Amino acid sequence: MIQKFIKLRYILSIFTSFIIFYLIFSLGWGPKINTSIHSTILFGLIITLIILNGTYLLKKHLEKRYKSIFFLSFIVLVCSFIFCIINYLIQKNNELMEISLLVSLTIYILIIITYLIRNIYLKIHNHNPVIIFITSFILLSLIGTFLLLLPNCTVKKISFIDALFTSTSAVCVTGLSVLDISKDFTYLGQWIILILIEIGGLGILTITSCLSYFFRDGFSFREGNYISNFLNTKKKNNVLSLAAQVVFFTLIIESIGAILIFLSIRKQHVSDNPLFFAIFHSISAFCNGGFSILNQGLYSIAVRYHYVLQIIIASLIILGGIGFNSSFNLFTYIWLTMKKFFYKTFKNQHIKNPAHILTLNTKIVILSTIFLIIFGTIFYFAFEFNHSLLEHESYTGKLISSFFSSVTSRTAGFQVINMHRCTTITILITILLMWIGASPGSTGGGIKTSTFVLALMNIISLSTGKTRLEIQKNEISYECIQCSFAIIIFSFITTYLSILIILFLDPKKNLLYIIFEVVSAFSTVGLSLGITPSLSYGSKLVLIILMLLGRIGCLNIMFGFFKKNKIISHDYYRYPNGYILIN
């Protein structure tokens, strides 16, 4: 009985591997076959999978973790089967049937791969979860490179380094590109880039943890430690439900954004496929990706003066850039405030909210984000009024474009103004905004707003003679201050060395332009002054490494490679104080 059970597992594994290779071959470089024949083959694969998964579920003494994954897979496959039968009886639309079958098979493969990834990182004996986090982004970039090299993904053959650059930029939600997404990639290639942006923005292991929530087979303390590191939270309990909340929150916001974008462009000929345009730009905006399927991005003449679209995309960028923890905390505060107001107004009841609903971290993130947006908007409006903003005739258009540029400069990478017409001081301020970046726990990059605020507040505290950093009656831990300055120093050293290397490899390039591209790559922003496509292979490789470093995070890299697994306590001894001349 056990042998039959094991044989069935092997048969299912082999058949699943065959499906993966068939999909890659048929979509990637296989010859174009008749749609009805292809749909029939896919339908046969679905039926076979249903039989195998159903037989697997009927086995007695099946472990709970296996039962949950195969039950979820069985439900997905059966739903696709029923849809195809209904489609065949009503309208016999082979194209719609093919799409539904491909989607269901893709979801099935994602479930299986996700579960395998979960088992892999649970069985790894390395107790440092950061290594797994780093490895996941590198592997995802390489997988994306392989997929983008498929002949059916590009209009013409592209080099390995260009495919790697595009894949890494998508996974790291940067937006820098050495190719024209609208011209060099086919519809399939654009979908692959979009999927890489989504997975890279959330993190493959966040999605893994979300699906693990539905397996409901429990998780170990080590797994809780892994997931809490991925989600940038101190909590070890209920982290699977938090991962599910992050994924569903992302999908809900992106869906609302796609609907709003579609409604705003439905009467204008912006794209041949307005629905795909809306989905692509909603995901790219919320994940702070900066990719666009328009020839010149959002600077294209079709949307350059579409101010409603700019406001929608800017709102998505802000929501994605303030971080999931801060978003949940802020929405909880808004909900409780509205509830309190409702009960007081309509029921004459006074509800006492819990103390300190808004955390100190949320306050710092929200206030710093608002300040940076206002500062950037005023600056762009004042210094670019007679330069890059001249093409916007109305004051409203100039103000909205300034607001959009302020928002996107910190993390997203979309541009609605001609960067080549910007003044030197504007470029320098843009570099500063890119360097600061988004907030911690978000899809954006940079050193993060809280890091910048802590460093700035610590300087002010030291200048007033205080030995402790206190913000709103909270004493900031010495560890946080150390980390903030470590991140800043790490960013300076990394960008400086990268600038030197690119200057050596491409000595004819403008220094200011190189600095701009380096900071944009390290902060995963994606704004460009146009020199990236013309850089040498060595310089492109430097930018690829910078994008990975920026997305993974400076501290994660340092902890991953230098932090020892064994925690040594230093509380039981103290060395004598050593004084070093500073100033």
Side-chain angles (χ1 to χ4, degrees):
M1 187 71 180
I2 297 175
Q3 290 181 348
K4 291 181 179 180
F5 181 75
I6 295 173
K7 287 181 180 179
L8 186 59
R9 272 178 55 184
Y10 283 134
I11 292 173
L12 188 57
S13 301
I14 294 171
F15 192 71
T16 302
S17 302
F18 168 76
I19 291 174
I20 294 174
F21 285 114
Y22 175 77
L23 290 179
I24 292 175
F25 176 78
S26 61
L27 293 176
W29 65 79
K32 294 183 178 179
I33 59 177
N34 187 278
T35 303
S36 60
I37 298 175
H38 186 50
S39 299
T40 304
I41 295 174
L42 293 176
F43 190 69
L45 295 176
I46 290 285
I47 294 176
T48 308
L49 280 175
I50 290 175
I51 295 172
L52 290 174
N53 279 273
T55 307
Y56 211 101
L57 285 171
L58 293 175
K59 294 291 182 180
K60 295 181 179 180
H61 309 296
L62 183 63
E63 292 182 32
K64 185 178 179 181
R65 57 176 180 168
Y66 290 118
K67 184 175 292 186
S68 57
I69 181 176
F70 287 107
F71 179 75
L72 184 61
S73 303
F74 185 78
I75 292 297
V76 171
L77 295 170
V78 168
C79 288
S80 175
F81 175 80
I82 294 173
F83 177 82
C84 290
I85 295 297
I86 295 173
N87 173 70
Y88 179 79
L89 294 175
I90 296 177
Q91 54 183 346
K92 296 183 180 180
N93 189 332
N94 288 326
E95 186 175 354
L96 183 61
M97 179 178 171
E98 180 184 354
I99 292 173
S100 66
L101 291 171
L102 284 172
V103 170
S104 61
L105 285 174
T106 303
I107 294 174
Y108 168 76
I109 292 170
L110 178 63
I111 292 171
I112 299 298
I113 292 177
T114 295
Y115 194 75
L116 289 176
I117 291 174
R118 184 191 180 207
N119 285 338
I120 289 171
Y121 73 70
L122 282 178
K123 292 179 180 179
I124 290 178
H125 295 291
N126 184 1
H127 293 275
N128 192 345
V130 180
I131 295 294
I132 304 171
F133 182 73
I134 295 171
T135 306
S136 67
F137 277 98
I138 296 174
L139 288 178
L140 188 58
S141 297
L142 293 176
I143 292 172
T145 302
F146 169 74
L147 293 176
L148 292 178
L149 283 173
L150 297 177
N152 288 353
C153 290
T154 55
V155 175
K156 58 182 179 181
K157 187 177 180 180
I158 62 175
S159 65
F160 174 82
I161 193 70
D162 287 345
L164 178 62
F165 193 100
T166 306
S167 174
T168 306
S169 183
V171 170
C172 298
V173 288
T174 304
L176 275 178
S177 181
V178 292
L179 300 169
D180 191 330
I181 305 300
S182 63
K183 292 182 178 180
D184 295 329
F185 290 95
T186 61
Y187 189 58
L188 176 62
Q190 291 172 359
W191 266 110
I192 291 174
I193 291 173
L194 183 61
I195 293 171
L196 291 175
I197 293 171
E198 184 73 291
I199 297 176
L202 289 173
I204 182 63
L205 294 172
T206 302
I207 300 174
T208 301
S209 304
C210 173
L211 289 180
S212 297
Y213 177 74
F214 295 99
F215 298 151
R216 308 301 293 177
D217 56 347
F219 63 98
S220 63
F221 176 80
R222 187 195 300 179
E223 185 177 3
N225 186 38
Y226 287 171
I227 300 169
S228 63
N229 275 273
F230 303 148
L231 298 177
N232 197 22
T233 178
K234 298 293 184 182
K235 297 179 180 179
K236 298 293 187 295
N237 58 336
N238 295 327
V239 287
L240 292 180
S241 61
L242 178 59
Q245 290 173 22
V246 168
V247 173
F248 285 121
F249 174 78
T250 300
L251 294 177
I252 289 171
I253 297 298
E254 288 173 347
S255 299
I256 295 173
I259 293 171
L260 293 176
I261 292 174
F262 179 79
L263 293 176
S264 68
I265 65 168
R266 70 186 189 282
K267 295 182 180 180
Q268 301 179 11
H269 187 68
V270 174
S271 173
D272 294 333
N273 192 340
L275 180 60
F276 179 65
F277 175 90
I279 295 172
F280 190 99
H281 286 81
S282 178
I283 293 175
S284 183
F286 182 79
C287 291
N288 287 211
F291 280 97
S292 176
I293 55 175
L294 295 177
N295 185 21
Q296 293 180 288
L298 297 187
Y299 186 68
S300 299
I301 194 67
V303 295
R304 189 185 306 174
Y305 307 106
H306 199 322
Y307 303 120
V308 174
L309 177 64
Q310 292 181 24
I311 292 174
I312 295 171
I313 291 180
S315 301
L316 289 169
I317 293 170
I318 293 171
L319 285 173
I322 62 176
F324 295 109
N325 290 327
S326 298
S327 296
F328 293 156
N329 186 231
L330 180 62
F331 287 148
T332 300
Y333 173 76
I334 293 173
W335 165 250
L336 290 177
T337 303
M338 293 174 61
K339 183 178 179 182
K340 182 178 179 180
F341 175 79
F342 175 82
Y343 273 85
K344 185 178 180 180
T345 305
F346 297 100
K347 295 189 176 182
N348 198 24
Q349 296 180 11
H350 181 72
I351 298 178
K352 188 177 181 181
N353 289 338
H356 308 297
I357 302 173
L358 280 181
T359 63
L360 179 62
N361 177 72
T362 302
K363 291 178 182 178
I364 291 176
V365 165
I366 298 300
L367 291 176
S368 59
T369 299
I370 293 173
F371 172 79
L372 289 171
I373 291 174
I374 294 174
F375 166 76
T377 302
I378 295 173
F379 185 89
Y380 277 104
F381 187 81
F383 285 86
E384 293 301 315
F385 191 88
N386 293 319
H387 296 278
S388 60
L389 293 177
L390 272 178
E391 53 191 351
H392 299 274
E393 298 179 355
S394 64
Y395 283 96
T396 302
K398 294 178 187 290
L399 186 61
I400 293 176
S401 297
S402 299
F403 164 74
F404 186 89
S405 299
S406 175
V407 171
T408 192
S409 294
R410 286 184 32 248
T411 177
F414 293 107
Q415 57 186 50
V416 292
I417 60 175
N418 189 346
M419 297 298 296
H420 294 285
R421 297 184 62 182
C422 292
T423 60
T424 303
I425 188 172
T426 300
I427 293 175
L428 291 174
I429 292 296
T430 303
I431 291 174
L432 173 64
L433 292 174
M434 290 193 300
W435 177 68
I436 296 173
S439 301
S442 70
T443 56
I447 64 167
K448 303 297 189 293
T449 53
S450 55
T451 301
F452 180 74
V453 170
L454 282 186
L456 188 62
M457 293 297 291
N458 189 52
I459 293 172
I460 296 172
S461 179
L462 288 173
S463 64
T464 56
K466 295 181 179 179
T467 57
R468 302 188 302 268
L469 176 58
E470 298 171 345
I471 302 177
Q472 289 193 341
K473 297 181 179 181
N474 287 273
E475 182 178 340
I476 307 302
S477 67
Y478 183 64
E479 181 185 2
C480 290
I481 299 172
Q482 278 186 315
C483 288
S484 64
F485 278 100
I487 291 172
I488 290 173
I489 296 300
F490 187 92
S491 68
F492 279 140
I493 293 173
T494 304
T495 53
Y496 182 76
L497 290 176
S498 302
I499 291 167
L500 288 180
I501 295 172
I502 294 178
L503 271 175
F504 175 76
L505 296 174
D506 292 276
K508 295 183 180 180
K509 299 298 182 183
N510 186 289
L511 175 60
L512 182 61
Y513 284 25
I514 292 176
I515 295 173
F516 192 94
E517 304 292 309
V518 165
V519 176
S520 179
F522 180 76
S523 298
T524 67
V525 176
L527 287 177
S528 175
L529 292 176
I531 68 168
T532 299
S534 61
L535 291 175
S536 62
Y537 283 163
S539 297
K540 289 178 182 178
L541 186 60
V542 171
L543 293 182
I544 289 172
I545 296 172
L546 279 174
M547 287 187 288
L548 284 170
L549 291 176
R551 182 66 183 96
I552 294 169
C554 308
L555 285 183
N556 285 331
I557 294 169
M558 289 189 289
F559 289 160
F561 290 101
F562 299 110
K563 187 177 180 180
K564 296 181 180 179
N565 294 334
K566 186 178 179 181
I567 300 174
I568 302 175
S569 175
H570 298 278
D571 294 336
Y572 58 88
Y573 70 89
R574 294 288 294 270
Y575 287 120
N577 291 330
Y579 293 96
I580 300 174
L581 294 177
I582 300 297
N583 192 8

